[in-house]
Amino acid sequence: LPISIPLTPGNFTAVFQSLYTIAPLLAGSINNDTTILPRTNFTLSITDSRLLQPLMLGGMLRESRTGAAAAIGGIFDLEALALATSSTVLKFPVVIQYSGLPSLSDRALYPFTCRMVPSYINQVGVIFDLFDHFYGITKQIQWKQPAVVSGANPYGISLGEEFIKRAGTRDFYVTTYQQFLGITNSNQNINVRDITPQILGLKDSKARVFVALLQTIDMQ
């Protein structure tokens, strides 16, 4: 099982270094326990992707040619999409660790992709349920007229589109939908700090309830 983990550099190094240490220990525990997957032996090959897609995809391509069973990776959304697309081309199974992008559930696009976490789409229904709850208590129409802001990344775009689509069916009116570039790619670290136009758009919408469809780094 080839595992793609960004070990260096970046703020996440300590987290992924722990995965680098733990994964072989877990594999060894499974191999030594005859009650778990008997007659099966796990061998791990860990690639330090350094958050660089060429390194990550190169490792996947290399291991797919050596008889590996499947790849494990996809810490971030863009990396997960790259792995899923490559798995379709190579016809090589991949297990996505953390990304909840809705498109990864498309079996026609990604027949060899398995995900370990549910789709982000589930978050949209919960937001509407929460607003309905407070509208029922307060009867304030503002709960039914939210403003939305998201980053221009796969997470923000997919949830923004889903939120707009569901609003009508749930008897909500979105007063404005603002989007900013933010840090759109963990490899390039493109960062637009000035989000004044988007903030003014939210203010001018007269909304009193705001939905921030943002991941941690854009939320900051």
Side-chain angles (χ1 to χ4, degrees):
L1 289 172
I3 303 179
S4 175
I5 302 175
L7 298 176
T8 55
N11 298 329
F12 302 98
T13 299
V15 175
F16 298 130
Q17 284 283 3
S18 66
L19 291 178
Y20 178 82
T21 304
I22 292 171
L25 294 176
L26 292 177
S29 298
I30 295 174
N31 291 338
N32 294 330
D33 191 334
T34 57
T35 64
I36 304 176
L37 299 175
R39 298 179 300 279
T40 300
N41 186 71
F42 283 103
T43 302
L44 303 182
S45 173
I46 299 179
T47 297
D48 180 3
S49 69
R50 301 183 186 178
L51 294 179
L52 299 174
Q53 290 188 19
L55 288 179
M56 177 185 66
L57 297 178
M60 180 179 178
L61 176 61
R62 181 178 62 254
E63 298 294 344
S64 69
R65 294 172 173 173
T66 61
I72 303 172
I75 300 292
F76 300 108
D77 291 339
L78 289 174
E79 284 76 11
L81 282 176
L83 278 176
T85 302
S86 297
S87 75
T88 301
V89 175
L90 298 173
K91 297 184 178 180
F92 183 64
V94 62
V95 178
I96 302 298
Q97 290 169 287
Y98 298 124
S99 175
L101 284 179
S103 59
L104 294 176
S105 297
D106 191 328
R107 306 305 298 168
L109 284 176
Y110 309 118
F112 296 94
T113 297
C114 172
R115 67 190 319 157
M116 295 176 62
V117 295
S119 169
Y120 298 138
I121 287 296
N122 299 325
Q123 300 174 15
V124 174
V126 174
I127 294 172
F128 284 127
D129 290 343
L130 181 67
F131 290 173
D132 269 333
H133 170 75
F134 285 112
Y135 175 72
I137 294 175
T138 66
K139 303 305 179 185
Q140 295 293 315
I141 193 61
Q142 288 90 342
W143 288 107
K144 289 284 191 176
Q145 300 174 347
V148 181
V149 61
S150 79
N153 49 43
Y155 174 85
I157 292 171
S158 59
L159 262 69
E161 291 177 348
E162 185 67 18
F163 195 94
I164 299 298
K165 183 171 68 175
R166 287 199 199 182
T169 63
R170 294 289 300 261
D171 194 28
F172 281 78
Y173 172 71
V174 177
T175 58
T176 185
Y177 175 33
Q178 299 291 323
Q179 200 173 76
F180 64 93
L181 188 60
I183 297 179
T184 61
N185 190 321
S186 59
N187 299 334
Q188 299 173 1
N189 287 324
I190 300 172
N191 188 3
V192 176
R193 298 291 183 185
D194 184 12
I195 58 171
T196 304
Q198 289 77 19
I199 297 299
L200 290 177
L202 295 174
K203 178 183 177 182
D204 292 343
S205 72
K206 306 302 181 183
R208 305 309 302 157
V209 176
F210 303 92
V211 180
L213 302 174
L214 304 171
Q215 292 177 305
T216 303
I217 198 163
D218 285 335
M219 181 71 78
Q220 292 171 342

